[in-house]
Amino acid sequence: MAGKRKKSSKLIRRQQRAGYLFVLPWVIGFIIFFLQPFLESMWYTLNDVTMGTGGMETKFVGLYNFRYLIVEDSKFLMNLWTVTADMLTQVAVCTILSLFIAVVLVQNFRGRTVYRAIFFLPIIMTSGVVYSMVGSVVGSLGLSGTGNAYMNGSSIADLMSRGGVSQEVITLIMGVVDSIYAMITNCGVPILLYISGLQKIPESAYEAARIEGAGSWDIFWKITVPKISPIIFLNIVYSIVDSCTAYGRSADGNVMMKAIQDMGFGQTMKFGMSSAMAWLYFIVIAFFLLLAWLLLGRKANKIEN
Amino acid sequence: MKRIRRSKRKTLSRSKAGTFFIFAFLAVAGAFMLLPIIYVLVTAFKPLNEILAYPPKFFVRNPTWANFSDLIEITQETWIPFERSLFNSLFIAVAGTAAYIIIASMAAYPLAKNKSRYIGVYYQIVVLAILFRPEVTRTPLYIIISKLGLINTYWSLILPVMAGSFGVFLMRQFMITVPNEMLEAARVDGASDFVCFWKLIMPLVRPAWMTLTIFTFKDLWNTGESQYIYEEALKTLTAVMQSISSAGIARAGAGAAVALIMMIPPVTVFVISQSSVMETMSQTGIKG
């Protein structure tokens, strides 16, 4: 008996050691390129950081940056509210709409690759640097009302106003078109993740349920949803992060990220204040992540363990 | 509707009207998504007067290659050959993606399948770290990169990406769906942890890392003008193209050609990885 126990604990220890080895390359990179600058920025929040002649100069100011943002800066809390409301909408819509689209797209019909590509392609176009190039072309189409380098105003709206449509109606229509477009665009990554998850559900699970006489509604709720619950959680986390950290300089970037960047890298160059903003913002998003985890994450993790 | 064959494998029983509604919805939403891409495509072939026409026309009237020849002319004016910038971009995107897939998957494996005490803490750190985009830690990161002597090297663009935690979280979420029994069976057969990871887990979660490939490639391909690289010869194609297309109205035509060209590599990676995922799924017995 004793020998057996010893053997198994040795096995566990060997497993743990292997675990450390697996994690090591990532952790080293994480510590150097993330944790270190991250902690540095935490220190900045308590300082007035300026670019002097001799490089960076820090002056300790305690909690002044935080107090200023919460008490004196009227915009900060307003931005925070806007961003949070946007985030909740995106999470709710994307999580559900993407699952619906993904369930359809995994079915075996001709041309499904083309359909998948269509739903994912906007992702390639609507983020980062390529976006700014492609965006300036697309902007002139009048979709997603983005900035456009070659002409002012959106062409579709312009055509409508020439056609005698009243300005209020145009604004309304363009608003709806913009938000639908933005929503489906945001769904691209979740759809792809759901598809990958759905493909891993064994066909036998569906067959067994059908033999038992379950309808498609039951199959969806009792088999599909529980089986992909880790992916649902993954998508919720993705949507929260995607919405909250959308690059501030792009047209679909959020106001908070823009404020953080402007504070730190705009004309003001207040690194300390910018870091304090980022940290307060981080705490708020972390709260929502925690909420998502308490509601869903723990349950999702129990699936296999 | 005839073209849509209902699958015997995954289709849930549904009324004809329901099927019709769903595909109608897909068609409308799909057309909506496709519109900007088609627009980029046709604009690249528009002569300058059509690009600048107001109000703009959607389709091209007199298609021309002028924008592309303009672009070639512009790139030849600079000292750095086009192939050099292309190589920079491809090297960063391909090497970076491959390295990140391996590093992130390895980091995710214990997260999903190890029952060590510290795993919970590690998991929470990974999730919280997703929140921080590089923009936020930009200033301190610059100091670190320059202290490490990485300024003006490819590493300054590749290494920070390796620290990203979204990929780790993504791989972990897929790895926990692999049944523990399979892993135990492999262990009983004497497979080491490394063999389990490489020969069992990775093939099983292939759709996951194929998807991660698309994300990572896209992000790295997007690397444009960077504060870490000021030597012209090391700049990415994206950075070079960026400066061309931001040069104003005179280069609007070349800019439209640039937009089309920059879209091609990420789209290619997407198509290849997605079709290979589907092939594996239908060929191997993984599904059962």
Side-chain angles (χ1 to χ4, degrees), chain B residues 54 236 263-264 266:
Chain B
Y54 190 82
T236 59
M263 259 169 52
I264 294 171

Side-chain angles (χ1 to χ4, degrees), chain B residues 114-275:
Chain B
N114 198 318
K115 289 184 190 70
S116 166
R117 239 182 313 165
Y118 308 106
I119 289 296
V121 183
Y122 172 46
Y123 173 64
Q124 271 144 15
I125 292 174
V126 167
V127 175
L128 280 179
I130 301 173
L131 288 180
F132 267 73
R133 281 272 171 114
E135 289 94 58
V136 178
T137 51
R138 192 164 117 179
T139 314
L141 188 62
Y142 179 82
I143 297 169
I144 288 161
I145 299 256
S146 68
K147 268 186 192 156
L148 290 171
L150 297 177
I151 298 292
N152 269 332
T153 61
Y154 291 143
W155 302 115
S156 67
L157 299 178
I158 295 176
L159 290 178
V161 175
M162 301 300 120
S165 53
F166 182 70
V168 179
F169 180 56
L170 187 153
M171 292 306 298
R172 185 248 179 213
Q173 291 305 92
F174 279 93
M175 283 177 183
I176 57 174
T177 63
V178 174
N180 282 337
E181 295 78 34
M182 269 174 136
L183 210 59
E184 269 150 32
R187 287 221 180 91
V188 168
D189 284 346
S192 70
D193 257 306
F194 186 76
V195 173
C196 285
F197 168 73
W198 198 247
K199 293 268 161 82
L200 182 72
I201 301 277
M202 285 306 269
L204 283 176
V205 296
R206 190 178 159 125
W209 54 262
M210 279 295 186
T211 308
L212 186 58
T213 301
I214 301 169
F215 297 159
T216 317
F217 185 88
K218 185 207 85 188
D219 281 348
L220 283 161
W221 182 255
N222 264 319
T223 309
E225 199 62 55
S226 156
Q227 71 264 42
Y228 306 131
I229 296 211
Y230 49 84
E231 205 179 303
E232 291 293 330
L234 289 172
K235 284 192 174 164
T236 59
L237 185 65
T238 312
V240 175
M241 294 291 138
Q242 215 175 348
S243 62
I244 291 174
S245 72
S246 62
I249 270 193
R251 289 195 177 160
V258 161
L260 177 62
I261 290 172
M262 293 311 288
M263 259 169 52
I264 294 171
V267 171
T268 311
V269 169
F270 172 78
V271 171
I272 292 173
S273 63
Q274 278 297 291
S275 51

